[in-house]
Amino acid sequence: MINSSLKQLAAQLAAKKISSRELTQSYLSRIETLNPDLNAFITVDAEKSLMQADAADKLLAAGLGGVLTGIPIAQKDIFCAQGWRTTCGSKMLGNFIAPYDANVIERFNVAGAVNLGKTNMDEFAMGSSNETSHFGKVKNPWDKLAVPGGSSGGSAAAVAARMAPAATGTDTGGSIRQPAALTGITGIKPTYGVVSRYGMIAFASSLDQGGPMAKSAEDCALLLNTMAGFDNRDSTSLDRPVEDYARDLAQPLNGLKIGLPKEYFAEGLAPDVAQTIEAAITEYKKLGAQVVEISLPNTQLSIPVYYVLAPAEASSNLARYDGVRYGYRAPEYKDLTDMYKKTRAQGFGAEVKRRILIGTYVLSAGYYDAYYLKAQKLRRLIAQDFTDAFKLCDVIMGPTTPTTAFNLGEKSDDPVSMYLSDIYTIAVNLAGLPGMSIPVGFGANGRPVGLQIIGNYFGEAKMLNVAHQYQLATDWHQRMPIL
Amino acid sequence: MSLTEADVKRIAHLARIEIEDKEVAPVLGQLSNILGLVEQMQAVNTDGIAPMAHAQDVSLRLREDRVTESDQHEAFQAVAPQVEAGLYLVPKVME
Amino acid sequence: MQWEVVIGLEVHAQLSTQSKIFSGAATAYGAAPNTQACAVDLALPGVLPVMNKGATERAIKFGLAVGAKINRTSVFARKNYFYPDLPKGYQISQFELPIVEGGSITIQVGDVEKTIRITRAHLEEDAGKSLHEDFHGMTGIDLNRASTPLLEIVSEPDLRGSAEAVAYAKTLHSLVQYLDICDGNMQEGSFRCDANVSVRPLGTDKLGTRCEIKNLNSFRFLERAVEYEVVRQIEIIEAGGKIAQETRLYDSDKDETRSMRSKEEAFDYRYFPDPDLLPMKISEAMIEEIQKTLPELPQAKRGRFMREFGLSSYDANVLTASKAMAAYFEQVVNQAGAANAKSAANWVMGDLAGALKRDNLEIAHSPVSADRLAGLVKRIADNTISSKIAKEVFEAMWQGEGDADAIIEAKGLKQITDTGAIEKIIDGIIAANPDQLAQYRSGKDKLFSFFIGQAMKATQGKANPQQLNDLLKQKLAG
């Protein structure tokens, strides 16, 4: 059962072969067994989850269930869920019980899904290894010496270890795709504006986007059907007709044009990853796709641009954590300014503080034009690269990451080398495009390799189709780590 | 544009993050590394390019002027560090 | 040396929307602390701002009224600083691209008219309130006012003294109420000024170093603060000192301005476009719609009052100073007829204004309605009562004793205009006072007023004064 697709689970629930309570309980038991070691969840509340499961069972009994009714979903601890502790991986929010639901949570609630618990993450989603969490590092279920990736590392590990049928993530510079790649699961970051950011704790507002993380593209399509949609409480939410993201899953790939950016296969890409990606491309050719070489010439600039824009927005977004209205407040202080400074020095971890300082600096008087404004101009060039590329192809493919999962502790003292590992994912956020990662094999060390699929704006259904066809022909997505 | 210890102290103060004297040098090192990474932007000529603030070229949606929220101060203040008589308490503010 | 005073004003007008600028919480004044601060106003983790159309419309209305350019694209920016009444750690405001740019208003100081240029007007959110009463030595924060919509109206440094500054502020205050975009309530903080004040040697062009005096919430304080500040600056310069550019606070108890120490540190607001809000585009259709809703503005109304009603410039100015007074006056004239406009003006500016002031009432709450005052004006015009009696009738109306006709009837105040009746009374008085008559006839003219007094007494003041005068003169002459 733990390897069942969402569709299969839904069928079993509908046929009353299993109740939501039983299903939820079985995952809660698995979490109880595996979580002490993997640390994928920050908060589990069996009572709350089972209450939701019972409510779902009533709906199912009345024949009122939808596709996700009664299915337990692990929620990244960045989504506010009413009555649930919502920490964003930070000591700052260590005691924060959210008094309201994020739009994404509300949508899952309306669909009758069960909140299985809140998953671990890099503090305020700042990180690529899940090592910056105040609640401890997460281990990669495939190799416990390895990082699961980040920032949605808890969600990725939970799905990879089959502690949850599916999970949510958020992606500001690769935080869905990179951990999905490193743990051998499927994840999609939609076009910016497709999933509401309301109640999703902000890191960098112009880049943040929520999305599903699951075992397969098909599961992701079903989850995205629930997560996506216009929300009038988010001014950047796009008011578009409702889509069925699963509508094109069955389409054959004959004539599909895949663009391979030469910059994604250049120096810095590990040979084992390169080979695995090439094998996946070969598989696509078998499925009828054609390959064209494209160029994204400003790829290298995406890292510096990102590390100006994201910290700048973050430095402002995180100013609200001041110990006044909620969250952590330092126990001792001399006066107001001292209260602010101690609260923030003690409540934030090292990486968050670094980014706040960088962001403060690049926005400060005399530096704005050279850093922030410059980065916004380059952002346009980077986005333009993709516009040009999509004149030549339907989707872009390449590695999600330059290497397989690195070891825990390997890069935690060297922020810059950590930042560089996001080279293939960041540009997608800067352009606001949809991107996903699917498992396509394993590297030399037996750790998973992810293939990145980048679509044009609002190309989610197409990308999911492209991923699904591959998953029909291969079984990488069904592989499970031995635990 | 190289960062100095004075810059670190200034931005830490602007960001209201306490930084002890012994932390200044290592933080300066880390921030300088990051700024070094960022520096390659300066090599690109961006004359005439409009800054891109948003992924989509759409305009702001305006909400009808209606009251939609009700009083929830008890729920909101349940998570507050210090409240009294419905007010959030902070160390004395000097004017 | 002679000095020239240079003042620019920044006025914060609270826009009269039902809900806040970026949230659906109510803006009503006086609610219990934090009961009107919703999740967005409190900056809970994950919440987002959504712009209120009502605030945009009001800003556009203002821009059109002052002949400004309405920017078809304007941008919201974040102004970053830490303060406990600023929940997000930044204020959402407009920086590089405000919604309104340029325009001007005309002010009148004495008999002189002057045009004051407006630099810009931008939308922003208000902060909460810090309450410094003692909570165990702590400060209490009430965020009800957080995210209330403000229009910050910035003038060019065109004002040349406290009188002009006050005239400008009053004109603006009247304008925003005419436009119905701000309730203008200064006690509640709906309309407050910051004054940028500097001095320079008369005849020079270069601006002196300015000081900003914050949060002046009455015209009187504005006047006093500017006057104090001008003297302070001139004294410093004349003593060989230099003005430090700083923010100052006016202390109304001591009638002086003082430096705000807490704001002394150099501010670096790190403005940048708010990524949670997209550029605000204004359509031509929206502007046209709002143009249609523009009411007649004070200056136009002033001209029309002079033209149509033959009022003096002074009267027209006083009567159009507030929208409510102008509307009241027009209603009186509508009922009483344009021929009686001057009389109506005198009543509104005289007895009515006096009574309102005495009882500390707004004209909207006047116990004497415009229709009733018109009723009184008509009775004076048709000689039913004299002006003198009218004052008594007005007072009775003020006390709620009914309309003019009812009071005249009930109290028997109708003027006696029957010549025969007046003659009869005069005859009686002459007969009863033979000594006085003899003295009058022998040249003691002053006694005329004695006879008038007797006649008025006998008629309880109701005799038509002119008729009485004429008839008495005839009779006394013999």
Tab-separated table of all heavy atoms in Angstrom, chain A residues 344-362:
chain	number	residue	atom	x	y	z
A	344	ARG	N	16.063	39.028	17.687
A	344	ARG	CA	16.388	38.615	16.329
A	344	ARG	C	17.720	37.872	16.263
A	344	ARG	O	17.882	36.947	15.461
A	344	ARG	CB	16.339	39.831	15.394
A	344	ARG	CG	14.890	40.340	15.232
A	344	ARG	CD	14.771	41.729	14.634
A	344	ARG	NE	15.330	41.851	13.297
A	344	ARG	CZ	14.738	41.449	12.173
A	344	ARG	NH1	13.549	40.891	12.232
A	344	ARG	NH2	15.314	41.615	11.009
A	345	ALA	N	18.646	38.249	17.139
A	345	ALA	CA	19.930	37.538	17.167
A	345	ALA	C	19.735	36.118	17.693
A	345	ALA	O	20.348	35.169	17.199
A	345	ALA	CB	20.938	38.298	18.021
A	346	GLN	N	18.848	35.976	18.672
A	346	GLN	CA	18.633	34.653	19.273
A	346	GLN	C	17.597	33.837	18.500
A	346	GLN	O	17.680	32.612	18.457
A	346	GLN	CB	18.163	34.808	20.734
A	346	GLN	CG	19.203	35.443	21.639
A	346	GLN	CD	18.600	35.987	22.951
A	346	GLN	OE1	17.506	35.591	23.355
A	346	GLN	NE2	19.319	36.893	23.592
A	347	GLY	N	16.628	34.510	17.891
A	347	GLY	CA	15.522	33.807	17.241
A	347	GLY	C	15.852	33.293	15.846
A	347	GLY	O	15.271	32.321	15.384
A	348	PHE	N	16.777	33.954	15.167
A	348	PHE	CA	17.171	33.527	13.812
A	348	PHE	C	18.478	32.746	13.853
A	348	PHE	O	19.372	33.052	14.650
A	348	PHE	CB	17.404	34.744	12.909
A	348	PHE	CG	16.170	35.535	12.554
A	348	PHE	CD1	16.197	36.922	12.587
A	348	PHE	CD2	14.995	34.906	12.149
A	348	PHE	CE1	15.078	37.672	12.246
A	348	PHE	CE2	13.867	35.650	11.805
A	348	PHE	CZ	13.912	37.032	11.859
A	349	GLY	N	18.610	31.794	12.957
A	349	GLY	CA	19.858	31.043	12.825
A	349	GLY	C	20.851	31.782	11.928
A	349	GLY	O	20.537	32.823	11.337
A	350	ALA	N	22.052	31.214	11.819
A	350	ALA	CA	23.164	31.892	11.147
A	350	ALA	C	22.872	32.207	9.680
A	350	ALA	O	23.142	33.316	9.215
A	350	ALA	CB	24.426	31.049	11.254
A	351	GLU	N	22.298	31.255	8.932
A	351	GLU	CA	22.074	31.491	7.501
A	351	GLU	C	21.029	32.584	7.291
A	351	GLU	O	21.185	33.446	6.416
A	351	GLU	CB	21.647	30.190	6.804
A	351	GLU	CG	21.384	30.309	5.313
A	351	GLU	CD	22.616	30.719	4.494
A	351	GLU	OE1	23.751	30.594	4.992
A	351	GLU	OE2	22.424	31.197	3.346
A	352	VAL	N	19.975	32.557	8.081
A	352	VAL	CA	18.933	33.581	7.954
A	352	VAL	C	19.528	34.957	8.250
A	352	VAL	O	19.287	35.920	7.521
A	352	VAL	CB	17.740	33.255	8.885
A	352	VAL	CG1	16.760	34.427	8.955
A	352	VAL	CG2	17.021	32.000	8.400
A	353	LYS	N	20.316	35.034	9.296
A	353	LYS	CA	20.930	36.320	9.642
A	353	LYS	C	21.856	36.804	8.528
A	353	LYS	O	21.871	37.980	8.188
A	353	LYS	CB	21.692	36.213	10.972
A	353	LYS	CG	20.744	36.179	12.166
A	353	LYS	CD	21.487	36.320	13.477
A	353	LYS	CE	21.805	34.976	14.061
A	353	LYS	NZ	22.311	35.064	15.439
A	354	ARG	N	22.620	35.872	7.979
A	354	ARG	CA	23.513	36.251	6.864
A	354	ARG	C	22.704	36.877	5.735
A	354	ARG	O	23.055	37.906	5.190
A	354	ARG	CB	24.204	35.003	6.312
A	354	ARG	CG	25.642	34.847	6.735
A	354	ARG	CD	26.399	33.837	5.893
A	354	ARG	NE	25.866	32.487	5.927
A	354	ARG	CZ	26.137	31.584	6.881
A	354	ARG	NH1	26.928	31.897	7.901
A	354	ARG	NH2	25.636	30.383	6.825
A	355	ARG	N	21.611	36.213	5.382
A	355	ARG	CA	20.835	36.719	4.236
A	355	ARG	C	20.148	38.042	4.575
A	355	ARG	O	20.028	38.915	3.714
A	355	ARG	CB	19.827	35.665	3.781
A	355	ARG	CG	20.539	34.411	3.285
A	355	ARG	CD	19.722	33.639	2.298
A	355	ARG	NE	20.257	32.288	2.137
A	355	ARG	CZ	19.771	31.396	1.288
A	355	ARG	NH1	18.747	31.688	0.522
A	355	ARG	NH2	20.299	30.187	1.202
A	356	ILE	N	19.700	38.189	5.804
A	356	ILE	CA	19.095	39.468	6.184
A	356	ILE	C	20.144	40.571	6.071
A	356	ILE	O	19.860	41.671	5.567
A	356	ILE	CB	18.517	39.402	7.617
A	356	ILE	CG1	17.279	38.502	7.650
A	356	ILE	CG2	18.159	40.806	8.128
A	356	ILE	CD1	16.707	38.280	9.041
A	357	LEU	N	21.359	40.281	6.527
A	357	LEU	CA	22.406	41.309	6.474
A	357	LEU	C	22.763	41.661	5.031
A	357	LEU	O	22.893	42.835	4.677
A	357	LEU	CB	23.649	40.844	7.245
A	357	LEU	CG	23.463	40.721	8.768
A	357	LEU	CD1	24.721	40.160	9.429
A	357	LEU	CD2	23.095	42.071	9.400
A	358	ILE	N	22.904	40.627	4.200
A	358	ILE	CA	23.195	40.901	2.784
A	358	ILE	C	22.070	41.726	2.158
A	358	ILE	O	22.304	42.715	1.463
A	358	ILE	CB	23.370	39.568	1.999
A	358	ILE	CG1	24.736	38.943	2.303
A	358	ILE	CG2	23.217	39.767	0.497
A	358	ILE	CD1	25.931	39.678	1.717
A	359	GLY	N	20.848	41.327	2.441
A	359	GLY	CA	19.696	42.035	1.881
A	359	GLY	C	19.623	43.467	2.356
A	359	GLY	O	19.303	44.383	1.583
A	360	THR	N	19.905	43.671	3.630
A	360	THR	CA	19.901	45.028	4.178
A	360	THR	C	20.971	45.870	3.487
A	360	THR	O	20.739	47.025	3.124
A	360	THR	CB	20.180	44.966	5.699
A	360	THR	OG1	19.194	44.126	6.308
A	360	THR	CG2	20.129	46.352	6.334
A	361	TYR	N	22.106	45.250	3.286
A	361	TYR	CA	23.216	45.973	2.661
A	361	TYR	C	22.891	46.386	1.224
A	361	TYR	O	23.077	47.541	0.839
A	361	TYR	CB	24.473	45.099	2.692
A	361	TYR	CG	25.688	45.749	2.070
A	361	TYR	CD1	26.295	46.851	2.673
A	361	TYR	CD2	26.234	45.260	0.890
A	361	TYR	CE1	27.409	47.458	2.114
A	361	TYR	CE2	27.353	45.857	0.315
A	361	TYR	CZ	27.929	46.954	0.926
A	361	TYR	OH	29.022	47.562	0.373
A	362	VAL	N	22.387	45.452	0.443
A	362	VAL	CA	22.170	45.778	-0.978
A	362	VAL	C	21.047	46.789	-1.191
A	362	VAL	O	20.970	47.423	-2.239
A	362	VAL	CB	21.921	44.529	-1.864
A	362	VAL	CG1	23.106	43.589	-1.811
A	362	VAL	CG2	20.648	43.791	-1.469
